[in-house]
Amino acid sequence: MPKTLIKERYDYQRYIIDYLVEKNGFIERSYNAGHYDQVTAMDTELFLNFIKDTQSESYRKIVRQFDSNADQIILNKYNERVLSKNGMTLDVLKHGFDVGMEHFDLLYVKPTTSINTKSIEDYHKNRFSVMEEVYHKDGERIDLVIFLNGIPLFAIELKANSSGQSYKNAIKQWRNDRTPTSRLLKWKKGVLVCFAVDFKRVYMTTHLERQKTFFLPFNKGDDESGTGNCPNPDGFGVSYLWEDIFTKDMILLLLTKYIFLEQKPDQDEKTGKVKLKERLIFPRFHQLRAVRKVLRDMEEFRTERNYLIQHSAGSGKTNTIAWLAHQLANLKVDNISVVDSVIIITDRVVVDRQLQAAIEGLEHKQGLIKVMGEDSTSNDLADALNGRTRIIVSTIHKFSYILDIISNQNEKRFAVIIDEAHSSTAGTLINNVNKALGNQLKDNEQDGETDNIDVLEALVAQKVGSDLDSRKKQPNVSMIAFTATPKPKTLKKFGTMNAEGHPEPFDLYSMKQAIEEGFILDVLKNYYEYNTYIKLIQKTQDDELFDTSQAKRWMKRFVETHDTYIGQKVEVIVEHFREEVMGLLDGQAKAMVVTSSREAAYKYYNAFNQYVVDKGYQHIKPLVAFSGKLKVDNNEVTEVSINGISEDELPDKFNTDEYQVLLVANKYQTGFDQPKLVAMYVDKKLHGVTAVQTLSRLNRIYKGKNKTIVLDFVNTYDDIEKAFSKYYTNTKLIRDINPRDIFKLKQKIDIRNILDVDDMHQFSIIYYTQTKVSAKNKAEYYLDKALARFNSHKSEEERDNMLKELRSFNSFYEFLTQVTSFKDEGIHEMYLFIHYLIKEIEIGPSEPIDLTGKIDAQFGKTKRGDFHIEPDLEENIGDMGLPGADSPVVQRQFKKLSDLIAEYNELHGTSFDPKSAMKIVEQTIETLASDSELIQQAKVNTVNDFKSALSDKIDDAIMDSATENQTFNNELLVADDFKKSIFGVFTEELYLRLRDGKKEVDYTDQKKQPIDMVAENDDDNFSM
C-alpha cells in the first residue's frame, strides 16, 4: 500500500503485516480465531507444533507418560519455568526447559558452518508469526505482537502521523493504558521489548512500569536534526524496523547474541546498602549498526583493515564492545575462524569488570573471557594468548607486552579493540604512554596538552604504529578503536577512506544525536564568559627589549598564578557554587575547577580553603589533582601529600558527601566519569579536542540533573563552540553553513589593505608549478611585501585583530571545503597565501625570558550581569571589590554623534559627514531589525544574552546595508572601538523593539537618551 494512501493507524498496521508475511516469510495468526492464550501469553498451537516437528522423539515419550494430558503438561512446565523466581522468557528461549527427564529446545540458530545438516534443517523449522489486535487482558488491546515458535517477543503500538498522532502518543498509551503486570507485559516473564512506532521514529522499552517507564530511541539518526531518521524516498522513515530488524535471521541474532540481563551492584546513597540492579538490555540502533558493519567487513577482508568507531559519550560503548568482541570471537567464514583471539584494551579497571559481566551475560561459557589483573605478567598474557581463551581484557599498561607477543605470532590472527582513544589519568599509565610517545610528548608539553595524551598516538609511536605511518599494518592484526573525539592524526591512521579519498570514521554516533536523544547533556547550553580587568605595571626604569610572544607568555603565567588574581576568582567560584550549584541533586552536586598549571592548582587549593574558613562556610571542601611533584619554598609537594589520601582513592572520595570541588591541573580533564559534576570553572586556555574532552566531564546524566554550568575566565564562547563543532556532527554547531560567508570574511580582510590580488596569484603559480629553490625564494618576496603592509599598522591591538581575521578566514575555508562542494579559484589562492603569511607573522626567537621583578599587576573589579561579565573600565584600578559588593555608580559620559565623529576625523585624518554617517547607522539598524534570528533571540533571551547575539550580526549588517559612503562603512568594520561607541547606545532600544514587535523605536521617550547622544566607553551597554 503506497505511503500516501495510509491515513489511519489500522492501514499502517495492515501495511506492516503484509510486508512481514510477503517479504519476511512470517505467518499471520488471528486473535479472533483463538490463536492467543491470555493465561500463558502464547500462541499455544504454534508452540506445540514446533516441538512436535523438531523434537518428535522427546514429545512421544511425554505422550506415553501423560497420554492426553501431554500437551497441557508441556505448556504448564514451560509456564512454570518462566514464572519461577529466577526464570525469564529470554533464558528459557535460549536454553530450553525440561519436562521430567526430557529437554525441549525452543529455537534453533543459524549454524556457523554447513557441516551439520540436521542443525540446518532445524533452523528452517523456526516459526515466526505476527498477530494484530491482541487483547493481552480484557479491555486492553495491543496493535501488533511478534512471536517466535508461539512465544511472544515484541509488542508494538503504532501511530499514524497523518491522523495527528505520533510515537509520543504511543508512549503515553504504554505508560497510562497498559497494565504492566499482565502475563504478556510482565517484566522478564512476557515480551522482551515494547515498541512505540509512528511514520518517522521508533522508541522502545524492556521494562514497563507505568509512569516510571523509560523509553530508549531506536532510530538511525538524522544528519540535520541529530535524532530521528532521515526521510525515506521509498517509504517510511522507520521502514528499517520491519525490513531489516524484524527478519528471521536478525531476530534470532538479537535473541542469542545481543539481548541479555545486566546485573550491577547498586548502593543506596542514603542507607549504604548494596543490592543487585537488573536491566534487560536491547541494543540501540547505532550499537547494532556498528557491530554488524565491522563483522560484515571482517568477513570479507579478515584482518586486513583497521576501524575507527566514533561514538559519543552516552552511546553505551561498553556494551557495543562486548557485543563486538563476543561475535568476533565466534565469527567464521568457510568453517574457519576469522580471528584466533580478541584483545580488548581499556584505560579503566572498572570497564574491565563491566565488559566481563556483559560478555558473560551473553554466553555462560568456561574460558570464553579472561581479564588480566594489575599483577599479570607477560607470561600470563602469553599463556592466555596461546591457550583457548578467545577474549582477553587488559589495560593499556600491558599493551607493550601484548605487542611483543602478537608480533611474533604471524600464524595467528588478532582483533584488538581499543576502548577510548584518550588515556586515563593514572600515573603509571601516563609514564607508559610517555615512553611510547617520545618526541610527540615534548610537542604536546609545549602546547600545554600533556593531559590529552592519545592512546592511539601511543600505538602509532610503537611498532604497529610505525608500520601505520607508511599506511602499512601487520596483516594478522586488526585494530578497532572506539573514541568520541578522534584527533586528525587518529583519523588519518585509523579512519576509512571515503569516495573522495578522505579518511572518516567507519561508524558515527554523533554528540548531537546523543544530546538530542537525552543520553548526555549539552554543556554549551549554559556556558558563560567571565572577564576580569588586569593592569600590568613596570617596576624597573630599564626599558629593555623583549621578544613579544615570549614576553606575553611569561606575563600570562605571572598573572595566572598571582595570589590576588587567584584569590579574586576563588571568591567568585565559591559564592557562585554556594548560590547556584550546591543545592542541586539533593545537595550532592559537585564542581571542577580547571587550572592552568600545578602551581596554580596548589595556590587555588590554599586560597579556596582560606576563603571558606574566613567566611565560616560549612560543607564546601576541595580536593586537588595533579601529577608529579611541585617545588614550594624548597619543599616538594604532591597531590597525595596535600589531600592526605592516595591517588587511587581520590575518585571514590570525591564521590562522597565529604568533598564538593575538585581542583585539577592537566588531570581528570579526560577519562573521568563523575555524573554528579554539574559546574565547571575554567581558568585555563583550552584548544581543540582538549576543550571538548574537558567540558564533556559535565555531560553525564544523573537523577535530577537537567543542566550544567560552565563559568570560563579565559576562553570565549566562539572558541569553545568552534572546538565542539568538529565532533558535534558533520555540520557546523549552532550556525548554519553559508558558503557566501567566506566572501564576507574576504571583504573584511580586503579593507585592511595588506593583501594584493596579483601577488597572491603569482605566489600560487610558483607554489604549484615551481620546484627550484630560487623560485621558492621568489615566493618569499610576495610574502615579505604583505608582511611589511601588516607591520605598518602600528597598533598592536589592530595587528592582533587582523591576525584573528586571517586565521578565521582560513579556518572557515578549511571547514567549508570539508563539508560542502565549495570551489573558487581566487578564494583558494587567498587561503594558500594567508596560510604562509600567518607563519611569517608568527615567527620569532625561541629563547626563554624572565621578567621577574620587572613587572607587577593590579587587578580591577569584575562586574557580574547575567553571567556575561564586562570590566568597569571607569573604576579605580586599586579597588579590589568583587561581584555582590557595594560598588560606586559610575557616571556615564555622553557626547553628540557629530562631536564623536569630529574627534575621530581629527584623530585619523578622515572627513566623515555626520548626516551621512547617521543615515548609514539607521540603515544598518533597520537591517538588524529585520533579521529573523535576532528577532527570535530577543523574544527568548535577556538583554545581556541578546547583546552577544547582536555582536555576531553587526558586521554582516554593515556590509549588507546600502550606502553612499563605503569608506565610512569600511571604517566601522575595522575600528572596533568606534563601532562599539556608535551602536552601543541602540542595543537596548533594538532589543525592546524586536521583543515587543514594534515597527520602530520611539526615540523621543524621555526615559531614553536622544538619538544624537552616544555613550563613550559604554561597555555595559553593548559588548562586542
Side-chain angles (χ1 to χ4, degrees):
M1 183 182 298
K3 176 182 175 183
T4 54
L5 298 181
I6 292 182
K7 301 292 185 183
E8 302 296 335
R9 186 269 305 167
Y10 184 80
D11 293 334
Y12 191 28
Q13 185 171 296
R14 191 70 248 166
Y15 176 87
I16 295 173
I17 293 172
D18 290 344
Y19 188 95
L20 292 175
V21 172
E22 295 169 10
K23 300 292 180 66
N24 293 0
F26 277 51
I27 304 167
E28 182 178 2
R29 301 285 284 173
S30 172
Y31 177 87
N32 293 330
H35 293 153
Y36 179 77
D37 176 32
Q38 283 189 359
V39 175
T40 59
M42 292 169 61
D43 184 336
T44 56
E45 183 180 10
L46 280 187
F47 177 84
L48 292 169
N49 286 343
F50 169 77
I51 286 179
K52 295 173 186 178
D53 192 23
T54 58
Q55 298 154 93
S56 56
E57 184 59 36
S58 294
Y59 177 73
R60 280 194 293 271
K61 290 180 181 179
I62 299 300
V63 171
R64 283 196 294 270
Q65 185 177 357
F66 296 102
D67 198 19
S68 62
N69 294 323
D71 287 357
Q72 192 59 50
I73 292 292
I74 292 172
L75 290 173
N76 290 344
K77 288 296 182 180
Y78 166 80
N79 210 31
E80 287 174 11
R81 178 70 184 86
V82 173
L83 294 178
S84 65
K85 181 179 179 180
N86 296 318
M88 56 186 294
T89 302
L90 179 65
D91 186 59
V92 181
L93 266 169
K94 292 172 68 173
H95 303 294
F97 69 104
D98 296 327
V99 180
M101 299 299 292
E102 300 304 315
H103 178 81
F104 291 101
D105 292 320
L106 293 177
L107 63 81
Y108 290 102
V109 298
K110 189 174 185 177
T112 57
T113 72
S114 58
I115 296 173
N116 192 330
T117 56
K118 175 66 166 58
S119 296
I120 297 173
E121 291 173 3
D122 288 339
Y123 157 72
H124 286 296
K125 291 178 181 178
N126 287 311
R127 289 164 169 82
F128 295 84
S129 61
V130 59
M131 190 182 299
E132 66 176 338
E133 308 292 315
V134 177
Y135 283 85
H136 70 108
K137 65 172 291 186
D138 292 345
E140 292 185 16
R141 176 188 49 74
I142 295 173
D143 294 337
L144 291 177
V145 178
I146 289 176
F147 300 80
L148 169 61
N149 300 325
I151 299 171
L153 304 178
F154 311 132
I156 306 159
E157 288 290 352
L158 297 169
K159 297 299 171 187
N161 301 79
S162 55
S163 65
Q165 292 194 314
S166 73
Y167 73 92
K168 294 180 181 178
N169 299 95
I171 288 176
K172 184 178 179 181
Q173 204 167 36
W174 279 121
R175 287 174 173 161
N176 298 333
D177 304 329
R178 299 291 178 264
T179 303
T181 55
S182 76
R183 180 64 181 84
L184 181 70
L185 301 182
K186 190 176 181 64
W187 183 57
K188 296 198 303 182
K189 313 297 184 179
V191 292
L192 305 176
V193 187
C194 295
F195 290 94
V197 183
D198 63 16
F199 292 171
K200 305 175 187 297
R201 300 191 182 192
V202 179
Y203 278 74
M204 65 178 182
T205 183
T206 58
H207 191 179
L208 278 182
E209 43 184 347
R210 294 289 188 187
Q211 292 302 314
K212 294 194 297 182
T213 305
F214 183 70
F215 278 85
L216 293 166
F218 190 73
N219 298 302
K220 300 171 97 174
D222 185 345
D223 292 339
E224 294 297 324
S225 62
T227 189
N229 297 291
C230 296
N232 181 3
D234 300 319
F236 299 94
V238 298
S239 294
Y240 60 88
L241 186 63
W242 52 87
E243 292 176 359
D244 188 42
I245 304 302
F246 294 162
T247 66
K248 293 181 177 182
D249 286 346
M250 192 65 235
I251 289 174
L252 288 172
L253 197 61
L254 286 168
L255 293 173
T256 57
K257 302 296 185 183
Y258 287 95
I259 308 174
F260 72 97
L261 186 69
E262 178 187 81
Q263 296 178 313
K264 284 185 177 181
D266 185 43
Q267 184 175 27
D268 189 295
E269 294 177 349
K270 294 183 179 179
T271 65
K273 293 183 178 179
V274 178
K275 60 180 180 180
L276 204 61
K277 184 177 181 179
E278 293 184 328
R279 289 193 309 162
L280 194 61
I281 301 298
F282 186 90
R284 287 149 65 191
F285 189 86
H286 69 272
Q287 296 175 309
L288 196 60
R289 180 189 62 212
V291 173
R292 294 172 73 193
K293 282 176 66 177
V294 173
L295 292 173
R296 281 196 299 264
D297 207 70
M298 290 190 68
E299 279 182 352
E300 181 177 357
F301 296 102
R302 307 303 196 271
T303 55
E304 295 177 17
R305 296 181 172 184
N306 293 321
Y307 304 91
L308 180 63
I309 313 298
Q310 185 180 342
H311 281 193
S312 167
S315 67
K317 179 167 50 61
T318 298
N319 284 337
T320 307
I321 291 174
W323 284 317
L324 178 59
H326 179 239
Q327 292 185 59
L328 274 176
N330 294 286
L331 183 63
K332 293 184 178 181
V333 176
D334 297 330
N335 303 328
I336 300 173
S337 296
V338 171
V339 296
D340 295 285
S341 298
V342 179
I343 305 164
I344 305 174
I345 306 297
T346 73
D347 59 359
R348 290 167 291 174
V349 175
V350 66
V351 176
D352 294 352
R353 295 192 293 267
Q354 291 171 355
L355 281 166
Q356 184 175 13
I359 293 171
E360 289 178 345
L362 292 166
E363 184 178 355
H364 303 289
K365 187 176 181 180
Q366 188 70 26
L368 175 66
I369 180 172
K370 184 171 185 178
V371 176
M372 309 307 298
E374 292 298 309
D375 55 349
S376 299
T377 66
S378 57
N379 290 331
D380 295 328
L381 278 166
D383 290 341
L385 287 168
N386 291 320
R388 294 184 177 182
T389 303
R390 302 306 306 275
I391 303 171
I392 299 166
V393 185
S394 180
T395 63
I396 187 64
H397 308 76
K398 313 293 183 186
F399 192 74
S400 58
Y401 296 154
I402 293 171
L403 281 181
D404 289 340
I405 295 169
I406 65 178
S407 63
N408 294 320
Q409 296 193 25
N410 294 328
E411 73 285 355
K412 289 188 175 183
R413 290 182 297 275
F414 303 92
V416 180
I417 302 175
I418 305 163
D419 173 24
E420 280 300 333
H422 58 265
S423 74
S424 71
T425 49
T428 53
L429 171 57
I430 293 294
N431 291 335
N432 281 354
V433 176
N434 286 356
K435 293 175 182 177
L437 284 173
N439 292 332
Q440 178 63 42
L441 177 61
K442 296 178 182 178
D443 295 338
N444 286 346
E445 286 177 340
Q446 291 175 1
D447 295 334
E449 299 293 339
T450 54
D451 55 311
N452 185 38
I453 298 172
D454 194 315
V455 169
L456 293 182
E457 287 187 16
L459 304 185
V460 169
Q462 296 188 62
K463 181 172 182 178
V464 171
S466 299
D467 291 336
L468 288 172
D469 277 333
S470 58
R471 300 303 300 174
K472 295 178 181 178
K473 61 179 290 297
Q474 286 180 257
N476 65 324
V477 180
S478 273
M479 297 277 188
I480 308 165
F482 283 76
T483 177
T485 50
K487 292 181 180 179
K489 189 178 296 184
T490 302
L491 194 58
K492 181 180 178 182
K493 302 297 182 186
F494 293 88
T496 302
M497 288 298 172
N498 60 23
E500 289 75 33
H502 302 300
E504 64 181 9
F506 187 71
D507 191 77
L508 171 69
Y509 177 70
S510 70
M511 187 185 301
K512 182 176 183 180
Q513 187 173 352
I515 291 171
E516 293 294 329
E517 291 183 343
F519 289 98
I520 58 174
L521 297 172
D522 185 354
V523 298
L524 298 187
K525 194 170 184 179
N526 296 293
Y527 176 98
Y528 305 105
E529 300 173 19
Y530 200 113
N531 301 321
T532 51
Y533 180 45
I534 306 163
K535 181 180 180 180
L536 293 178
I537 305 168
Q538 183 173 333
K539 294 178 66 176
T540 177
Q541 297 298 317
D542 298 330
D543 212 4
E544 302 175 54
L545 292 176
F546 294 98
D547 169 62
T548 302
S549 60
Q550 291 289 328
K552 284 183 176 180
R553 190 176 295 118
W554 194 96
M555 292 176 183
K556 177 175 177 287
R557 186 172 184 83
F558 172 79
V559 168
E560 288 171 345
T561 57
H562 198 286
D563 291 338
T564 303
Y565 188 49
I566 288 176
Q568 190 182 67
K569 284 183 285 190
V570 162
E571 182 171 355
V572 172
I573 291 168
V574 174
E575 296 302 335
H576 179 269
F577 182 79
R578 289 184 70 250
E579 295 172 13
E580 308 288 346
V581 181
M582 195 172 180
L584 301 176
L585 309 186
D586 293 329
Q588 298 182 75
K590 299 183 183 295
M592 177 181 284
V593 181
V594 181
T595 70
S596 59
S597 64
R598 288 179 295 185
E599 181 183 2
Y602 176 72
K603 289 188 174 184
Y604 256 104
Y605 180 82
N606 292 330
F608 196 105
N609 282 321
Q610 188 63 53
Y611 182 82
V612 169
V613 170
D614 291 345
K615 288 289 186 178
Y617 292 152
Q618 302 294 320
H619 310 299
I620 305 182
K621 192 174 179 181
L623 287 168
V624 67
F626 61 82
S627 299
K629 300 175 181 178
L630 174 68
K631 276 197 172 183
V632 179
D633 299 328
N634 294 323
N635 295 317
E636 286 186 342
V637 296
T638 64
E639 170 192 306
V640 174
S641 67
I642 296 171
N643 293 326
I645 58 175
S646 71
E647 185 178 6
D648 293 337
E649 287 181 286
L650 190 147
D652 290 334
K653 283 288 186 181
F654 185 55
N655 190 45
T656 67
D657 292 338
E658 186 178 356
Y659 299 97
Q660 293 73 39
V661 181
L662 184 62
L663 311 164
V664 305
N666 292 340
K667 192 172 185 181
Y668 292 116
Q669 288 177 232
T670 63
F672 180 59
D673 192 2
Q674 171 48 265
K676 297 178 192 174
L677 275 177
V678 173
M680 181 174 287
Y681 305 94
V682 182
D683 194 25
K684 173 184 178 180
K685 197 69 177 174
L686 300 174
H687 303 281
V689 69
T690 306
V692 178
Q693 291 176 343
T694 300
L695 268 62
S696 293
R697 297 310 96 213
L698 295 175
N699 67 18
R700 302 308 195 268
I701 57 175
Y702 188 79
K703 184 179 180 180
K705 180 178 173 182
N706 53 26
K707 71 171 184 178
T708 63
I709 303 171
V710 179
L711 203 58
D712 199 322
F713 296 97
V714 179
N715 306 280
T716 67
Y717 179 84
D718 287 343
D719 290 340
I720 298 297
E721 177 207 42
K722 180 181 176 182
F724 269 79
S725 68
K726 296 179 181 179
Y727 307 102
Y728 192 70
T729 183
N730 287 334
T731 56
K732 194 176 188 298
L733 181 67
I734 295 177
R735 298 184 180 90
D736 291 332
I737 304 235
N738 186 347
R740 292 192 301 273
D741 289 344
I742 195 72
F743 294 102
K744 291 182 178 180
L745 292 173
K746 177 182 182 298
Q747 184 178 352
K748 290 181 71 173
I749 294 173
D750 288 344
I751 293 168
R752 299 291 191 180
N753 196 32
I754 56 176
L755 303 180
D756 182 277
V757 64
D758 293 329
D759 287 354
M760 291 188 292
H761 181 63
Q762 291 301 318
F763 180 89
S764 178
I765 291 174
I766 295 172
Y767 180 85
Y768 285 112
T769 63
Q770 302 296 319
T771 57
K772 294 181 179 179
V773 175
S774 58
K776 294 293 185 184
N777 290 338
K778 179 67 174 178
E780 288 294 323
Y781 163 73
Y782 298 111
L783 290 172
D784 289 344
K785 288 171 65 178
L787 184 62
R789 288 191 291 267
F790 178 89
N791 290 327
S792 67
H793 294 266
K794 301 303 180 185
S795 167
E796 184 174 353
E797 181 180 0
E798 193 170 356
R799 292 198 302 272
D800 287 342
N801 288 336
M802 288 191 295
L803 185 55
K804 288 178 182 177
E805 290 170 2
L806 294 172
R807 286 173 175 159
S808 295
F809 176 89
N810 272 26
S811 177
F812 184 71
Y813 177 78
E814 290 171 358
F815 184 68
L816 191 63
T817 54
Q818 289 171 6
V819 299
T820 71
S821 57
F822 176 83
K823 291 181 181 179
D824 184 280
E825 186 175 341
I827 293 293
H828 180 74
E829 288 182 350
M830 184 172 175
Y831 160 79
L832 182 68
F833 190 84
I834 289 175
H835 176 78
Y836 286 94
L837 178 61
I838 289 173
K839 294 178 181 292
E840 297 280 345
I841 293 171
E842 293 175 337
I843 288 175
S846 58
E847 292 82 3
I849 64 168
D850 189 354
L851 297 179
T852 304
K854 297 182 175 66
I855 64 170
D856 202 349
Q858 288 182 327
F859 301 89
K861 185 174 181 178
T862 55
K863 183 175 179 180
R864 177 177 181 176
D866 196 29
F867 290 109
H868 190 84
I869 312 302
E870 294 294 336
D872 274 333
L873 298 177
E874 301 295 332
E875 289 195 6
N876 188 317
I877 294 302
D879 182 357
M880 299 309 294
L882 280 152
D886 294 331
S887 307
V889 178
V890 179
Q891 183 65 42
R892 293 176 178 170
Q893 299 179 8
F894 291 86
K895 288 187 178 181
K896 289 185 177 181
L897 177 61
S898 57
D899 292 341
L900 188 65
I901 293 175
E903 286 185 8
Y904 192 86
N905 286 337
E906 182 178 356
L907 182 63
H908 295 87
T910 54
S911 56
F912 300 129
D913 175 41
K915 290 184 179 180
S916 175
M918 193 64 235
K919 184 177 180 181
I920 292 172
V921 173
E922 289 174 345
Q923 290 174 343
T924 303
I925 290 174
E926 290 308 310
T927 300
L928 293 167
S930 62
D931 188 289
S932 60
E933 290 185 14
L934 279 181
I935 294 171
Q936 182 63 19
Q937 292 283 354
K939 290 183 183 297
V940 300
N941 287 313
T942 65
V943 66
N944 289 297
D945 289 332
F946 175 74
K947 290 174 184 178
S948 177
L950 181 61
S951 67
D952 295 333
K953 296 284 188 177
I954 289 285
D955 285 355
D956 289 347
I958 292 172
M959 287 188 282
D960 290 342
S961 298
T963 177
E964 299 172 358
N965 193 336
Q966 187 61 44
T967 306
F968 183 75
N969 262 25
N970 293 345
E971 201 69 28
L972 284 176
L973 288 170
V974 299
D976 291 337
D977 290 340
F978 188 43
K979 175 170 54 183
K980 191 183 298 185
S981 298
I982 292 293
F983 288 99
V985 76
F986 301 118
T987 304
E988 186 172 345
E989 286 82 353
L990 181 60
Y991 169 75
L992 294 173
R993 173 182 176 182
L994 299 184
R995 187 194 66 182
D996 299 335
K998 294 181 180 180
K999 292 184 179 180
E1000 59 184 17
V1001 180
D1002 182 7
Y1003 292 106
T1004 63
D1005 190 333
Q1006 293 182 355
K1007 295 180 181 179
K1008 305 186 189 316
Q1009 293 291 337
I1011 194 169
D1012 65 346
M1013 302 290 280
V1014 179
E1016 182 178 42
N1017 288 332
D1018 188 12
D1019 284 331
D1020 292 320
N1021 197 5
F1022 183 68
S1023 171
M1024 292 296 288

